[in-house]
Amino acid sequence: AVALLIVEVADTTLPRDTTTKLELYASANVPEYWVVDVDGQRLLVFRDPYTIPAGGRSYRTHLTYGPTDIVTPLA
């Protein structure tokens, strides 16, 4: 079974969460990946995994939400 949504809370791990882990979850075809950026007080939302033409996997949609925004998961 594949997870429909994965949420990471990034305090000191933001660079790793938005590169290595992002590619890992996109490769696993997780449809939605959220990263809570504690220091930046924002939520990074990645949706729609796809294969990059040069190789590797990523997400087509990258959204950023602030502390007062309302976000709803796709699933």
Side-chain angles (χ1 to χ4, degrees):
V2 173
L4 298 177
L5 169 66
I6 293 179
V7 179
E8 295 276 0
V9 177
D11 186 1
T12 60
T13 59
L14 185 63
R16 181 170 181 247
D17 292 338
T18 56
T19 56
T20 305
K21 286 189 174 182
L22 181 140
E23 185 173 359
L24 176 70
Y25 297 140
S27 295
N29 216 29
V30 174
E32 190 165 18
Y33 174 47
W34 293 10
V35 179
V36 178
D37 176 5
V38 175
D39 290 337
Q41 296 185 345
R42 60 189 179 149
L43 174 66
L44 307 173
V45 174
F46 303 94
R47 294 177 172 156
D48 191 19
Y50 78 109
T51 301
I52 300 168
R57 300 275 291 170
S58 189
Y59 287 89
R60 287 188 202 281
T61 305
H62 300 187
L63 305 167
T64 302
Y65 294 93
T68 60
D69 293 326
I70 296 172
V71 185
T72 304
L74 295 175

